[in-house]
Amino acid sequence: MSTSATTTAVPLPSRDAGSDNKPQPVWSLESNRSSSPPLSEKCDKIGRQGGICCKELKNEDDRMLIDPDVIRDIIIGLSDGLTVPFALTAGLSGLGTSRIVVVGGLAEIIAGAISMGIGGFLASKAERDHFRFLRRSTYSRVMRSCVGEMEREVHEVLGPIGVDEPTSQAVTSCLRRAEDESGFDASTSTDAEKSSLGMKSEFGLSAFLLKFGEGLEDIPTRRLYLSAFTIGMSYLVGGIIPLIPYFFLATALDALKISCIITGIVLLIFGAVKSRVTGAARSVLGYIWGAISTMAVGGFAAAAAYGLVIAVERSSIS
């Protein structure tokens, strides 16, 4: 392959150290090649100080190494698991014996974990069903609408972020061709059917309007069961923590003091970690606020439950 004197090819480091494939060259943005290089090979690495490729900049912040949906489910399960059973055990501690707290706490944790898991499954399934209904209706509308209407809808999505009308029209034309070539059939409703028929419903104008216009994406079947398992297990793990001291101390009030300390520490750690993985903490104060606010919610719920039980016990209600 011949190049001009001003063109320099610099190999990128291989992403897989054990791979035998040769790394692709990196062409300068000022390349004088007669034909434009592929987008994957264009970078300003040569002219940038330090020779850092833009692809390397994407890995500077590694806080989102886990699927955001899994993180969301863990936060939901742990938040409820640390708060609700803690409040229940604090309230039952007013009755005096740890046995009552353990029995009531275990019953609540098991029932709560099952309920939270089923709730996560049904919520994800409802979201998937809603998406697939909109996918069918959107595809049908796209097929029946004129080019002008589709160009207006695409520009409504791209215009607010700075894309001009001619570019929106070009994007619309490209998406219409992609949808025609993908063989999309909106009547299919399962991943297995799409796979067997070779359908690619993630391409084309319908997928664009759903994803960027409505903010919706299809939810695979595996996600339904993963969400149920993650939320339920997170609730179970979080709910066991406040109950641990009651297994070893016969007096509920003594166990409550230790439970408050253990749960308070766990809530502080959980709040700080949650601020980290969600990106809410941009400084030390962000971590502190996340930790304190999480502990305050759990402490308030426990204090309210304990106070209510004491008030009822001391009242004339039998």
Side-chain angles (χ1 to χ4, degrees), residues 115-169:
S115 175
M116 293 286 291
I118 294 175
F121 177 87
L122 294 177
S124 298
K125 186 176 185 301
E127 187 177 352
R128 185 186 68 173
D129 293 342
H130 176 64
F131 170 84
R132 290 181 173 177
F133 169 78
L134 288 181
R135 184 177 65 184
R136 291 191 295 269
S137 61
T138 301
Y139 176 76
S140 176
R141 180 170 57 83
V142 167
M143 292 295 100
R144 290 183 287 108
S145 299
C146 65
V147 175
E149 174 59 25
M150 292 298 96
E151 290 176 346
R152 284 190 291 271
E153 291 196 24
V154 171
H155 188 64
E156 287 178 359
V157 177
L158 299 179
I161 59 176
V163 179
D164 55 22
E165 290 189 6
T167 304
S168 298
Q169 293 172 351

Side-chain angles (χ1 to χ4, degrees), residues 30-318:
E30 291 80 20
S31 173
N32 294 331
R33 300 178 68 191
S34 57
S35 60
S36 177
L39 291 177
S40 60
E41 299 180 11
K42 295 176 65 176
C43 186
D44 198 29
K45 174 181 179 179
I46 302 173
R48 183 183 293 115
Q49 184 178 3
I52 301 176
C53 179
C54 300
K55 296 179 181 178
E56 300 173 11
L57 300 177
K58 296 170 63 176
N59 299 324
E60 286 187 347
D61 191 352
D62 59 351
R63 71 175 66 209
M64 294 302 293
L65 295 177
I66 307 175
D67 186 348
D69 290 332
V70 175
I71 293 177
R72 180 199 64 186
D73 292 341
I74 292 175
I75 290 175
I76 292 174
L78 278 178
S79 296
D80 283 0
L82 287 170
T83 303
V84 178
F86 179 47
L88 176 65
T89 55
L92 294 178
S93 296
L95 300 179
T97 62
S98 294
R99 180 178 176 83
I100 297 177
V101 178
V102 170
V103 173
L106 288 176
E108 195 284 330
I109 291 171
I110 295 174
I114 295 174
S115 175
M116 293 286 291
I118 294 175
F121 177 87
L122 294 177
S124 298
K125 186 176 185 301
E127 187 177 352
R128 185 186 68 173
D129 293 342
H130 176 64
F131 170 84
R132 290 181 173 177
F133 169 78
L134 288 181
R135 184 177 65 184
R136 291 191 295 269
S137 61
T138 301
Y139 176 76
S140 176
R141 180 170 57 83
V142 167
M143 292 295 100
R144 290 183 287 108
S145 299
C146 65
V147 175
E149 174 59 25
M150 292 298 96
E151 290 176 346
R152 284 190 291 271
E153 291 196 24
V154 171
H155 188 64
E156 287 178 359
V157 177
L158 299 179
I161 59 176
V163 179
D164 55 22
E165 290 189 6
T167 304
S168 298
Q169 293 172 351
V171 171
T172 304
S173 177
C174 181
L175 291 173
R176 287 294 293 261
R177 290 196 303 270
E179 184 150 353
D180 292 339
E181 295 172 358
S182 65
F184 176 82
D185 185 356
S187 64
T188 60
S189 59
T190 65
D191 300 332
E193 290 174 350
K194 288 194 299 181
S195 177
S196 63
L197 297 177
M199 299 174 183
K200 301 177 181 179
S201 60
E202 67 271 18
F203 299 140
L205 187 54
S206 299
F208 174 85
L209 294 176
L210 284 171
K211 183 174 183 179
F212 299 103
E214 303 292 340
L216 298 175
E217 291 186 79
D218 196 7
I219 299 178
T221 302
R222 173 178 173 272
R223 174 66 196 146
L224 274 62
Y225 298 98
L226 180 61
S227 177
F229 177 80
T230 304
I231 294 178
M233 288 302 299
S234 298
Y235 187 94
L236 185 65
V237 172
I240 287 293
I241 294 175
L243 204 61
I244 292 176
Y246 295 92
F247 288 104
F248 304 99
L249 298 176
T251 305
L253 291 179
D254 294 337
L256 175 62
K257 297 176 183 178
I258 300 177
S259 178
C260 289
I261 297 174
I262 295 176
T263 307
I265 295 174
V266 173
L267 285 171
L268 285 173
I269 296 174
F270 172 67
V273 172
K274 181 180 67 174
S275 300
R276 166 66 181 178
V277 297
T278 59
R282 299 183 180 180
S283 63
V284 176
L285 292 178
Y287 290 106
I288 295 176
W289 169 251
I292 293 178
S293 60
T294 303
M295 186 184 68
V297 172
F300 177 79
Y306 180 78
L308 180 62
V309 171
I310 293 298
V312 171
E313 186 181 12
R314 293 179 178 178
S315 68
S316 57
I317 301 176
S318 58

